[in-house]
Amino acid sequence: MEDNVKELENQALKELVKVNDFKSLSEFKVKYLGKQGMYTALLKEMKNIPSDERPKFGAIINTSRQKIENIIYETEERLNAQELENKLSQQKIDITEPAKNTQQGQVHPLYKVMNKIIETCVEMGFTVVDGPEIETDYYNFEALNIPKDHPARDMQDSFYITQNLIMRSQTSAMQIRAMETMKPPIKIISPGRTYRADSDATHSPVFHQLEGLVVDENVSMIDLKAILTQLLKTLFGDNTKIRFRPSFFPFTEPSVEVDATCPMCGGKGCPRCKGSGYMELLGAGMVNPTVLENCGIDSKKYSGFAFGFGLDRFAIIEYKVPSIKMMFENDIKFLSQIK
Ligand SMILES: [Zn+2]
């Protein structure tokens, strides 16, 4: 019996040395250690030997089996190392190969224009303030001298969240917030996103405005004209001619609309400016004394002017883009053309 075990062990060891892949290792395990395997068969033969000798032989068989299991484990380690070695020798990394080109991002054209305007205004002494995009009816309309039944509300189809909360339809709301929290002299601009239920080639439901406000003693229409002329000449060039036309806004009195010579044709007249040579750019005016009083500012001592314009309009003029919608479609092909 002992010889049988030794013989089986030697046979197994000889075979195991030849095992060179996982498949034959698995076959080896089944052949020797499986339920129908040779070591199991040997154990079954124990019934033929006297019962007092069985424990001794049981121990011999188990020791031998353990030895084979240990060598199987070592063989597995050897095969794993061999496999890794094969992979490493096959997968070559060429460190001299040029890297793939990655696409570099850039500032959105709209924000390029916005930043240029902000920079110009900051150079003229304005401070930039930011405000909430969800506004109360009070800040968006009421305090700007636009009560509930005012026809000016019809011009601005707003997105209402509740009866009292709306997506701000104009950055003018920031005038009120600034005047409530700051003391004159006030000289601020407030750029940002605004929302109206309006959608065609020149209107988008989301658009961008920039609001400017100056409040101090002895501020007059002359200051308004000087600041806006300087701003528009910086943006569109020194040869730009500026035109002020009387207009109406509930929160300014008197109010003006400001045109500049068409940057496309330089004032000669083209399809873009419908032959007029001018482009309507922004609305402005002297802050209505009612609005000053609404914010607790003494309208007898202080006066102010405000201006507001659509940044998107400036951007489509600057980059000669046919539709405002292209600014919001995030089409990389289009955006990457604008440098
Ligand atoms: Zn033109």
Side-chain angles (χ1 to χ4, degrees):
M1 192 74 191
E2 218 175 321
D3 289 344
N4 289 350
V5 178
K6 200 68 203 165
E7 202 180 313
L8 180 62
E9 191 182 300
N10 285 339
Q11 188 193 332
L13 290 174
K14 263 188 212 162
E15 272 187 46
L16 203 47
V17 174
K18 290 179 197 156
V19 166
N20 243 339
D21 56 66
F22 286 106
K23 188 173 170 270
S24 43
L25 183 66
S26 162
E27 282 164 6
F28 176 88
K29 279 194 221 170
V30 174
K31 182 176 174 186
Y32 286 93
L33 306 179
K35 274 183 189 163
Q36 310 292 327
M38 295 173 84
Y39 271 91
T40 318
L42 211 55
L43 279 170
K44 279 176 188 161
E45 277 179 32
M46 289 236 297
K47 62 180 187 289
N48 300 326
I49 58 171
S51 60
D52 57 338
E53 287 185 32
R54 281 179 199 164
K56 187 185 157 201
F57 282 108
I60 290 172
I61 294 170
N62 278 335
T63 310
S64 173
R65 191 190 158 101
Q66 189 62 51
K67 194 173 165 185
I68 299 297
E69 277 176 0
N70 287 345
I71 300 177
I72 288 177
Y73 176 74
E74 281 167 21
T75 310
E76 266 172 351
E77 294 281 283
R78 175 167 60 84
L79 292 177
N80 279 331
Q82 202 174 304
E83 196 178 61
L84 182 65
E85 188 67 28
N86 286 343
K87 268 189 194 164
L88 287 176
S89 64
Q90 279 162 16
Q91 295 171 349
K92 282 189 184 135
I93 297 169
D94 181 2
I95 55 163
T96 62
E97 197 178 339
K100 278 182 190 155
N101 278 341
T102 49
Q103 223 173 2
Q104 201 174 6
Q106 58 171 3
V107 178
H108 192 282
L110 199 57
Y111 280 76
K112 276 187 198 163
V113 169
M114 190 195 273
N115 291 342
K116 192 171 161 189
I117 298 173
I118 290 174
E119 242 170 68
T120 311
C121 290
V122 168
E123 277 169 13
M124 290 194 287
F126 285 87
T127 306
V128 182
V129 294
D130 199 10
E133 288 178 25
I134 296 174
E135 265 299 1
T136 62
D137 186 87
Y138 175 78
Y139 285 107
N140 197 80
F141 288 126
E142 204 82 40
L144 286 160
N145 207 24
I146 314 174
K148 286 226 158 33
D149 53 355
H150 199 286
R153 287 203 181 199
D154 291 341
M155 285 153 59
Q156 302 182 9
D157 271 331
S158 313
F159 291 113
Y160 277 85
I161 296 169
T162 65
Q163 251 194 330
N164 195 35
L165 282 180
I166 59 171
M167 301 302 291
R168 67 175 176 192
S169 62
Q170 48 191 350
T171 42
S172 311
M174 270 315 291
Q175 286 185 27
I176 307 299
R177 290 188 178 272
M179 284 191 282
E180 278 182 355
T181 51
M182 299 162 113
K183 282 197 178 86
I186 297 168
K187 199 172 178 188
I188 56 133
I189 52 164
S190 178
R193 264 190 293 268
T194 42
Y195 305 84
R196 283 181 208 177
D198 220 352
S199 186
D200 57 39
T202 51
H203 295 91
S204 157
V206 184
F207 56 106
H208 297 73
Q209 280 193 339
L210 187 137
E211 190 80 13
L213 173 73
V214 175
V215 179
D216 203 352
E217 289 177 45
N218 303 319
V219 170
S220 77
M221 209 60 189
I222 296 166
D223 302 297
L224 164 69
K225 241 183 123 176
I227 291 261
L228 288 181
T229 305
Q230 184 57 48
L231 176 64
L232 294 174
K233 284 194 172 194
T234 308
L235 291 174
F236 297 113
D238 277 341
N239 295 329
T240 309
K241 287 197 190 84
I242 320 288
R243 186 168 80 177
F244 290 77
R245 285 181 291 113
S247 184
F248 170 81
F249 304 108
F251 38 94
T252 46
E253 183 59 40
S255 304
V256 288
E257 276 188 67
V258 185
D259 305 336
T261 38
C262 171
M264 307 279 181
C265 60
K268 289 188 192 83
C270 72
R272 196 61 201 258
C273 55
K274 292 174 186 132
S276 71
Y278 277 91
M279 273 198 157
E280 195 184 310
L281 287 179
L282 55 95
M286 299 306 294
V287 180
N288 192 314
T290 314
V291 175
L292 291 176
E293 295 293 338
N294 282 349
C295 301
I297 291 175
D298 182 357
S299 64
K300 287 188 183 70
K301 188 174 177 195
Y302 294 105
S303 55
F305 69 80
F307 57 91
F309 50 82
L311 287 167
D312 316 83
R313 196 179 174 79
F314 276 54
I316 60 176
I317 292 171
E318 173 106 5
Y319 296 114
K320 302 179 173 61
V321 174
S323 165
I324 189 172
K325 293 224 168 74
M326 296 173 85
M327 287 288 176
F328 302 109
E329 282 167 350
N330 284 337
D331 178 353
I332 292 180
K333 269 190 205 149
F334 162 70
L335 293 174
S336 58
Q337 284 173 40
I338 296 178
K339 299 290 176 205

